[in-house]
Amino acid sequence: MIGRVAAFCREHGLVHDGDLVLAACSGGPDSLALLDVLARCRERLHIEVAVAYINHGIRAAAFDEERRVQQAAAARGCPCYIRRTAVPALARRRKQSLETAAREERYRLLRDVQRQIRAQSIAVAHHQNDQAETVLWHLVRGSGLTGLAGMRPRREKIIRPFLCVTRAEITDYAARRHLHPCHDETNDELHCTRNKLRLQYLPFLAQLNPAIIADLNRLAAVVQAEDDVLRQQTEEAYRRTAQVRAEGIVLSKTRLAEQPTALQRRLIRRAYEALTGHMTGLSLEQVETVRHLLDKEPGKRFAMRAFYVQRTYEALVCTARPPVSRTAEIAAALPFGTPQVYRLGAWRLQLQVTTKPVKPAPNQWLIDYDRLSPDTVLRCRRPGDRWLGKDHTTALKKIFTAQHLMPAQRATLPLLCQGNLVVWLAGRGACPTLAVQAETKRIGIITLLGGTEYASGY
């Protein structure tokens, strides 16, 4: 078994010359065998080995296990690090199952030790039976390919040297090496999902297929290879489809829609991962809800904790927090006409007057200053507003729709109005009544100095 594990470590690049490997050891048969194998592989793999034991504060026997792990580490010349925590209290505070809280806290403390001693990796004792349980559990839950891929030999700093051997082989090894593992009675409790899979369901399936462990491991290996290909395709499509902007991660509607369904789902998950830092917590049903926003009208939204998506005319805008509402009307109506800087909500506009010909910049619009009515005001949209054309008026809503403006933009966009008639609109310019003519003597220059993140669009 030593040779197989060493070869597996080399094949998958789990260790490199000079690495310090932190072996997670609970004192049970699997982790004690892992410690023994890694210690015996030190010269062969050119590594050093340290040991960590995590006391979850669940069982009184854990203090005896601490001592026995320390003795096993000392017998093999490995430094040992003990960390204690109170998982039951954490589970109550986080409203988690004891199993989930223990797993999260165990990995957190293992990473703390790994950083403290500057180990290159953390070795855990997951083996082929564990892999079969993982694949079966994901299958029962209806997971996609990523779930059916099971556990990989390496995930960031976590390495799994025993994924090449079965539980039976480990048990046989422990007996031949006269190891004296501890027994964790919680592994016999059937209220834990993994225990049920191990003690009840896999033995039942083995009656139908005696090679169930090997077959589920082979399935995981096949799916991992195919998942890797899709991951690469997803990254390539993500670079073409996603942009990081001030308002969040923007997925182009056109480019997202042209992808196959499988990649659409993965691109949405990729945006979720970029915002949250993990892939857990987003179900297929939620992914589908986001994906179907492509067929909805602009303004539709999807919301969950730490992931919000809004459909705009051109994109799906993904954020990690609720978008700031800008729909509340700004009630102020500022008399407009004196050359100065005007502030309206988050916007700043400057009015200047000149008698010389002007070529406006992209953020500037020109008006015939002498045609500016004394009752002109600067304000935001109100019900009943209409755009003043040459010989007719048009509902402002129709103008906004043509400009592809979202509701939040419409509510705060600065307007110059005479009553309910809009004579100037940011992004469109002046109505025919205020347009600069050949006979214009004084030209008003309206400059948009800044505003919300939408200002760059005008």
Side-chain angles (χ1 to χ4, degrees):
M1 196 167 92
I2 296 289
R4 286 173 59 193
V5 171
F8 185 80
C9 288
R10 291 196 193 95
E11 178 187 356
H12 293 278
L14 303 188
V15 298
H16 302 90
D17 288 357
D19 277 2
L20 172 59
V21 178
L22 179 65
C25 186
S26 66
D30 302 338
S31 62
L32 195 59
L34 176 67
L35 167 57
D36 190 70
V37 168
L38 289 177
R40 294 178 68 192
C41 282
R42 279 178 292 196
E43 291 187 8
R44 187 182 303 215
L45 294 175
H46 305 105
I47 61 173
E48 295 298 327
V49 179
V51 183
Y53 176 87
I54 309 301
N55 185 334
H56 299 95
I58 299 174
R59 302 159 44 249
F63 294 97
D64 179 60
E65 290 169 1
E66 283 184 15
R67 178 183 57 80
R68 294 173 69 173
V69 170
Q70 286 175 317
Q71 291 174 345
R76 292 160 179 80
C78 301
C80 185
Y81 301 87
I82 305 296
R83 293 292 183 271
R84 295 174 179 171
T85 185
V87 166
L90 285 173
R92 288 192 297 271
R93 188 164 65 247
R94 298 174 183 173
K95 297 182 179 179
Q96 294 176 317
S97 69
L98 208 61
E99 187 180 13
T100 298
R103 182 177 63 253
E104 291 183 0
E105 187 69 357
R106 177 167 62 252
Y107 278 109
R108 184 187 72 80
L109 292 171
L110 286 172
R111 289 187 177 97
D112 281 349
V113 176
Q114 175 256 317
R115 285 190 291 267
Q116 175 190 336
I117 67 175
R118 299 184 179 180
Q120 279 66 46
S121 58
I122 302 168
V124 293
H126 293 137
H127 44 69
Q128 290 188 351
N129 293 64
D130 293 322
Q131 180 74 299
E133 292 169 19
T134 300
V135 173
L136 184 60
W137 174 233
H138 284 301
L139 182 64
V140 170
R141 295 175 62 226
S143 297
L145 282 184
T146 301
L148 294 181
M151 298 178 289
R152 292 175 180 262
R154 173 183 284 276
R155 179 174 61 84
E156 298 176 347
K157 298 291 186 181
I158 305 296
I159 62 173
R160 299 181 172 92
F162 271 6
L163 281 184
C164 61
V165 295
T166 65
R167 176 179 289 116
E169 290 175 301
I170 294 170
T171 302
D172 180 66
Y173 176 87
R176 287 187 288 105
R177 289 286 296 167
H178 303 291
L179 304 180
H180 301 288
C182 307
H183 176 68
D184 183 348
E185 63 276 9
T186 61
N187 290 331
D188 303 326
E189 297 173 357
L190 292 178
H191 64 80
C192 295
T193 302
R194 294 302 289 258
N195 291 353
K196 286 183 181 179
L197 286 172
R198 183 179 71 255
L199 300 173
Q200 293 183 335
Y201 300 128
L202 272 173
F204 172 76
L205 291 174
Q207 296 176 29
L208 304 176
N209 176 12
I212 187 67
I213 300 298
D215 286 346
L216 287 175
N217 274 266
R218 183 167 56 252
L219 172 63
V222 170
V223 173
Q224 283 177 16
E226 296 182 358
D227 188 52
D228 287 341
V229 172
L230 283 173
R231 283 174 182 263
Q232 182 179 353
Q233 292 179 357
T234 300
E235 288 304 312
E236 292 170 358
Y238 189 75
R239 286 192 289 270
R240 297 191 303 269
T241 306
Q243 288 184 319
V244 179
R245 297 182 186 169
E247 59 266 41
I249 294 176
V250 179
L251 299 175
S252 165
K253 171 183 171 292
T254 302
R255 292 179 179 173
L256 184 61
E258 68 188 15
Q259 299 296 331
T261 300
L263 281 185
Q264 288 180 6
R265 291 170 178 156
R266 284 176 173 257
L267 287 168
I268 292 167
R269 289 188 179 278
R270 179 67 177 80
Y272 174 83
E273 180 185 24
L275 289 168
T276 64
H278 56 79
M279 290 290 285
T280 58
L282 187 65
S283 69
L284 176 61
E285 182 181 4
Q286 290 167 325
V287 170
E288 288 297 273
T289 301
V290 174
R291 196 170 67 84
H292 289 312
L293 288 178
L294 292 171
D295 303 319
K296 304 293 185 181
E297 63 270 21
K300 291 295 184 180
R301 293 182 179 182
F302 166 83
M304 62 178 288
R305 187 172 180 269
F307 190 53
Y308 301 83
V309 185
Q310 182 176 30
R311 164 81 151 83
T312 69
Y313 281 92
E314 304 297 338
L316 298 183
V317 180
C318 309
T319 60
R321 58 185 62 87
V324 178
S325 174
R326 295 183 176 86
T327 57
E329 181 181 300
I330 299 173
L334 308 175
F336 188 87
T338 304
Q340 65 180 51
V341 174
Y342 294 83
R343 294 180 180 272
L344 184 69
W347 295 86
R348 291 189 302 128
L349 289 80
Q350 182 180 47
L351 174 63
Q352 299 168 291
V353 179
T354 182
T355 57
K356 298 179 181 179
V358 177
K359 182 178 180 181
N363 65 328
Q364 292 181 328
W365 294 268
L366 307 181
I367 62 172
D368 188 327
Y369 184 71
D370 293 319
R371 295 186 181 183
L372 196 63
S373 171
D375 63 349
T376 302
V377 297
L378 175 66
R379 63 171 175 80
C380 293
R381 169 190 196 186
R382 291 178 181 172
D385 283 345
R386 300 184 68 83
W387 172 259
L388 180 61
K390 187 174 182 179
D391 50 13
H392 66 283
T393 64
T394 306
L396 191 59
K397 179 180 179 180
K398 187 173 182 179
I399 302 296
F400 282 158
T401 300
Q403 288 185 298
H404 288 183
L405 297 184
M406 297 301 297
Q409 297 169 281
R410 300 180 186 193
T412 62
L413 203 63
L415 317 171
L416 289 184
C417 301
Q418 296 170 3
N420 72 330
L421 296 178
V422 179
V423 296
W424 176 88
L425 170 62
R428 186 179 180 92
C431 72
T433 303
L434 286 185
V436 174
Q437 309 291 335
E439 63 273 15
T440 298
K441 292 184 173 58
R442 292 192 294 174
I443 299 174
I445 307 170
I446 299 176
T447 304
L448 206 57
L449 299 177
T452 65
E453 68 262 30
Y454 305 119
S456 61
Y458 299 100

